[in-house]
Amino acid sequence: MPQTLSARSQAVHTSPASRATARGLMAGTVVAGPLFLGVGIVQGLTREGFDFGRNAISQLALGEAGWIQTMNFLIAGALLIAGAVGLRRALGGGAGGAWGPVLTGVFGASFWAAAAFPADPGAGFPVGAPDATEMSAHGSVHMLAGMVGYLALCAAFVVLARPLAARGHRRWAIASRVVPVAVLAGFTASAASVLAFTLGAGLGLVWLAAATARLTTAPAGR
């Protein structure tokens, strides 16, 4: 109850201009995930030799048309970092106002690292690549960036459950604590199924967009 009152009080005392700026920046986090996934899915369906059952979306950065996915990583990272700044302004000193934006920013930065250090070819993509290849230094950095980024994202979900609850969105808060389990389950199953990994990563992006959009709404009951 005190948290909800605090969230309402903060919303009242924040100027309309500040709220508009914060929401504008937070739109980056809302757009980033769907945009990244949409561009990746279109490429995956149209690039020769790519198979969602065998290949990770990050491998789309390889080959002649790889620049499209590289730009996809860079743009998504920029949008996520802008969204993190918006979250910081919107949450201020309230619940989750410190670590939620920082963890979201780390997730955004991981996309830039993934763009700078592309994944290794393999599983027949790009066309002509062998099924298995030895992991390179840049491929190792790519994997590390993804691991750190998604661990930060899962932690961000747990942290952002607090401002969701403080604004009266209790079901969303509960879901925000459950979604990381599903995301990590997808990553754990990646050894057996690349598709499980892709679905887990996609779920994380979609939930971040949804939770951020929910945080831009007024506290429940206001």
Side-chain angles (χ1 to χ4, degrees):
M1 184 65 173
Q3 286 184 330
T4 301
L5 291 175
S6 175
R8 291 179 185 174
S9 176
Q10 183 182 347
V12 169
H13 289 92
T14 303
S15 70
S18 296
R19 289 199 298 271
T21 300
R23 288 178 179 177
L25 289 168
M26 288 168 71
T29 310
V30 176
V31 171
L35 177 63
F36 181 83
L37 291 173
V39 172
I41 290 171
V42 170
Q43 289 184 87
L45 294 174
T46 57
R47 294 276 303 271
E48 183 182 359
F50 189 88
D51 181 352
F52 283 103
R54 302 182 65 204
N55 305 114
I57 284 181
S58 59
Q59 286 183 291
L60 289 166
L62 305 173
E64 291 184 4
W67 65 271
I68 299 174
Q69 183 61 14
T70 298
M71 290 301 300
N72 196 21
F73 273 118
L74 293 174
I75 292 170
L79 289 171
L80 288 166
I81 291 173
V85 174
L87 275 171
R88 181 69 183 88
R89 294 189 179 189
L91 299 179
W99 281 105
V102 169
L103 292 165
T104 302
V106 170
F107 181 57
S110 75
F111 277 65
W112 285 351
F117 300 93
D120 288 319
F125 189 85
V127 174
D131 284 341
T133 58
E134 185 175 347
M135 185 173 292
S136 66
H138 64 78
S140 298
V141 174
H142 182 92
M143 287 190 65
L144 178 62
M147 180 180 69
V148 171
Y150 269 91
L151 285 175
L153 178 64
C154 288
F157 288 154
V158 176
V159 173
L160 292 176
R162 292 184 62 201
L164 284 167
R167 285 159 172 73
H169 308 307
R170 291 181 176 80
R171 292 182 180 178
W172 285 74
I174 293 171
S176 198
R177 295 184 177 100
V178 173
V179 167
V181 177
V183 172
L184 294 175
F187 276 52
T188 301
S190 63
S193 171
V194 174
L195 185 58
F197 169 83
T198 302
L199 291 174
L203 173 62
L205 287 165
V206 170
W207 183 253
L208 179 61
T212 304
R214 195 58 173 167
L215 283 169
T216 65
T217 63
R222 183 165 179 253

